[in-house]
Amino acid sequence: IAQLGLEEDACREVSDVGHDRIYLTDRLGMPLVEPVTYPDMRTPQEAADVANILRKLTRSTGKVRTGYGAGREDVNVSVKGGTRIEIKGVPMISRIPVLVHNEAMRQCALLAIRDELNQRGIKPDTFEFQTDDVTRIVAKTSYDPIRKALDAGLRVKCVSLRGFAGVLSYTTQEHTSFAKEFSDRVRVIACLTTLPNIVHSDTASETLRSKEWQQLRKRMNADHRDALILVWGDERDTKTACNEIVIRAKEALVGVPSDTRQALYDGTNGFERVLPGAERMYPDTDLPPIELPKSRVERIVEQLPEFIWDRESRLRDAGLAPDMVEKLSTSPHMALYDRLTQELRMKASLAATLLCQHLTALKREGFDIDTLTDDEIFESCKAYVEDRIAREGTVKILRHLAKRGSTDTPAAVRVTKAIETLNLSLIDEKELTAQIAESLGRLNNDAFATPRQKHRYIMGDLMSALRGRVDAREASELVAKELGVTLTP
């Protein structure tokens, strides 16, 4: 604690392991769990399916934070003849299939580029290039990115890649060409981050004038078989950029370089850094494993939650709809669902609807449902099961309790007081019949064409006054009986 510069009261003891104590604090960040799979997935969709299984498995513990980016996937992709490429920090599982597809497409394209260059006779031992400062040649260019760089006093340099003509425009990912491999390296390594940061001769007509390209080819001793790449910046950055362009060109002769890639929003990926080798970036990954005592492992096994696939099967057997099974199986309220259905014998569909839909609706209304305790929700449902309130009354009570916030008062006492405050006590059949008669007495029969229309009107009138104090189905049946209407199940 002293080494971390933390006050002792800033830490909270959460676990004892022998004489060693583990502390968690907000200042130290969130604990990280990182499951790792074998390379068993063979299609983009399989990769997403496995990620979903891991998501459900961790969520089923009730101890994993949810939301965009709370779980991130490092997706490793390789094709036959390629190499393992790691796409870092994918924030949404739904993006995995497209990312995997594009990376597989990229590796296949890079292998095809290698084969094309080899057929042209360009191999690592025959590779030739030339770099030079061409600021004077493009001094009068009207191409805006270079024009702005020159006006700012920056330099323009050119790299000539012998025999690379046409290769830079090869498609590597969706709407992406091989030239982006060079641009990314320049952006990350040379820190020339303003895009575009390069132009090349494969797109000559879209950039500089024809005469300028001719002058550049003459200066670089290049012919129509060679590719020219221009980069601009200060002296130091452009030197680094030219070196990186040459390095990336050499890698193209071998195939797929070992990169760490970043996931982009359009489903493609971009260069992030060279994949670490034996000298890892994080030394802690090389520390020896800590052996857990057998007694602790056994204690952990005893406390493991129900497997997610068993839980889903149980919820399906209870008659819940597929979307409800999906929501509830990974919900932190799963333990409360079991209490409601097992201790109170509450109908599974009612308990699931309350926990997955009504609580969400309250949150959308602006209520802080995190202040509601499981005991308060349990006691509210208990009041319904014991016929102290109508089914609709549970939501009214929870809305009332969420509005008031949490206190130290026992949950049962709070719920009882809420029933009294909101006047939610059930009315008996005699009082309900009297209310129906009163509503019928105020009814203008000429305003309704059919008895069913009268029924809908009376029910609306009743429930606006008695919602939470009367069972809606019972009231509907009594109104139908008075009007002589047959209700369809």
Side-chain angles (χ1 to χ4, degrees):
I1 294 174
Q3 290 175 344
L4 291 169
L6 301 175
E7 297 295 332
E8 187 167 354
D9 61 1
C11 297
R12 176 168 59 87
E13 184 178 332
V14 294
S15 177
D16 281 342
V17 184
H19 297 292
D20 299 324
R21 294 186 175 182
I22 298 173
Y23 292 89
L24 288 182
T25 172
D26 288 341
R27 299 187 210 177
L28 293 179
M30 294 291 291
L32 173 68
V33 178
E34 187 170 354
V36 180
T37 71
Y38 286 101
D40 292 333
M41 288 73 78
R42 295 291 184 266
T43 69
Q45 189 55 50
E46 277 187 6
D49 291 342
V50 170
N52 263 316
I53 291 173
L54 291 174
R55 177 184 67 84
K56 290 181 178 181
L57 196 60
T58 54
R59 286 278 305 278
S60 67
T61 65
K63 301 180 184 298
V64 175
R65 185 165 64 91
T66 62
Y68 179 86
R72 292 179 177 269
E73 294 75 41
D74 293 342
V75 184
N76 295 274
V77 184
S78 63
V79 302
K80 186 176 181 179
T83 190
R84 179 178 71 88
I85 296 296
E86 184 177 20
I87 306 174
K88 297 288 290 184
V90 181
M92 295 178 67
I93 293 175
S94 59
R95 293 183 184 174
I96 290 179
V98 175
L99 284 165
V100 172
H101 164 78
N102 273 308
E103 175 53 29
M105 177 181 176
R106 186 182 80 93
Q107 292 192 37
C108 289
L110 294 180
L111 294 173
I113 289 172
R114 177 201 63 187
D115 294 343
E116 171 64 24
L117 292 172
N118 289 171
Q119 285 182 359
R120 297 181 185 183
I122 309 170
K123 297 183 179 181
D125 57 345
T126 62
F127 173 67
E128 295 183 21
F129 69 94
Q130 182 178 334
T131 64
D132 206 343
D133 189 312
V134 294
T135 305
R136 286 183 57 192
I137 294 177
V138 296
K140 295 182 180 180
T141 187
S142 59
Y143 180 59
D144 192 56
I146 294 181
R147 179 74 268 150
K148 289 180 179 178
L150 293 172
D151 292 343
L154 299 177
R155 312 298 297 175
V156 181
K157 292 187 180 178
C158 181
V159 180
S160 173
L161 301 175
R162 305 302 183 197
F164 272 66
V167 171
L168 297 177
S169 61
Y170 274 36
T171 298
T172 52
Q173 302 181 67
E174 292 180 351
H175 312 296
T176 306
S177 68
F178 182 46
K180 188 175 184 297
E181 300 276 325
F182 295 87
S183 174
D184 282 351
R185 290 287 186 92
V186 169
R187 174 179 56 83
V188 175
I189 307 298
C191 300
L192 297 176
T193 57
T194 302
L195 299 178
N197 55 8
I198 66 169
V199 294
H200 57 89
S201 54
D202 282 0
T203 56
S205 62
E206 302 170 17
T207 53
L208 280 66
R209 292 173 294 183
S210 175
K211 182 179 180 180
E212 291 169 331
W213 283 112
Q214 291 174 4
Q215 292 173 334
L216 286 169
R217 288 192 179 277
K218 184 177 181 180
R219 174 64 176 269
M220 303 302 294
N221 298 314
D223 59 28
H224 67 280
R225 294 169 294 182
D226 306 327
L228 305 182
I229 301 178
L230 298 182
V231 62
W232 49 93
D234 62 28
E235 179 63 30
R236 180 181 176 183
D237 288 343
T238 52
K239 181 179 179 180
T240 301
C242 289
N243 288 337
E244 278 304 313
I245 290 170
V246 172
I247 290 172
R248 185 64 190 86
K250 288 180 179 178
E251 291 173 344
L253 303 175
V254 178
V256 183
S258 296
D259 295 343
T260 295
R261 315 284 294 179
Q262 62 180 142
L264 304 178
Y265 286 106
D266 62 358
T268 62
N269 62 66
F271 175 80
E272 186 171 89
R273 64 175 184 267
V274 174
L275 193 67
E279 300 81 16
R280 291 178 174 83
M281 186 179 300
Y282 309 107
D284 60 291
T285 60
D286 290 326
L287 294 177
I290 299 173
E291 184 177 358
L292 296 178
K294 184 178 179 181
S295 59
R296 190 179 183 211
V297 174
E298 292 174 348
R299 188 170 71 250
I300 292 171
V301 170
E302 291 174 357
Q303 297 173 353
L304 284 177
E306 180 182 23
F307 282 122
I308 185 65
W309 39 86
D310 295 333
R311 182 180 294 178
E312 290 176 335
S313 177
R314 180 160 61 86
L315 293 175
R316 284 193 295 269
D317 291 343
L320 298 185
D323 62 327
M324 197 70 76
V325 171
E326 173 74 18
K327 291 178 182 178
L328 189 58
S329 62
T330 57
S331 169
H333 294 303
M334 184 64 203
L336 179 55
Y337 166 86
D338 286 338
R339 286 184 65 193
L340 296 177
T341 55
Q342 295 170 15
E343 294 181 36
L344 296 182
R345 302 294 180 183
M346 192 174 180
K347 191 175 179 182
S349 58
L350 294 182
T353 300
L354 175 67
L355 298 175
C356 292
Q357 294 182 358
H358 290 313
L359 289 183
T360 302
L362 289 177
K363 186 175 183 178
R364 288 172 180 164
E365 290 176 26
F367 292 100
D368 185 4
I369 63 172
D370 292 333
T371 62
L372 293 172
T373 67
D374 284 0
D375 285 340
E376 287 172 338
I377 299 172
F378 180 87
E379 291 296 334
S380 299
C381 293
K382 185 177 180 181
Y384 160 65
V385 171
E386 294 177 348
D387 290 331
R388 288 187 282 143
I389 61 172
R391 187 172 68 186
E392 294 84 354
T394 56
V395 178
K396 285 194 171 186
I397 292 173
L398 296 179
R399 183 183 286 109
H400 175 78
L401 295 179
K403 189 184 299 183
R404 295 297 180 89
S406 58
T407 69
D408 295 332
T409 307
V413 175
R414 295 199 72 201
V415 169
T416 299
K417 287 185 177 179
I419 292 173
E420 295 173 356
T421 302
L422 299 173
N423 191 25
L424 293 178
S425 298
L426 278 178
I427 64 174
D428 57 26
E429 185 174 336
K430 182 179 179 180
E431 187 176 349
L432 175 57
T433 302
Q435 288 278 359
I436 293 173
E438 185 178 334
S439 293
L440 288 171
R442 296 195 301 267
L443 190 66
N444 179 5
N445 290 314
D446 296 334
F448 303 96
T450 66
R452 282 190 174 277
Q453 291 179 355
K454 294 180 184 179
H455 181 274
R456 284 196 295 269
Y457 178 83
I458 294 296
M459 282 301 298
D461 188 40
L462 280 175
M463 297 310 294
S464 63
L466 301 177
R467 188 176 300 278
R469 301 191 63 200
V470 64
D471 183 271
R473 180 175 296 180
E474 180 184 351
S476 179
E477 290 174 353
L478 286 174
V479 172
K481 183 178 179 181
E482 290 293 329
L483 295 174
V485 174
T486 300
L487 298 177
T488 304

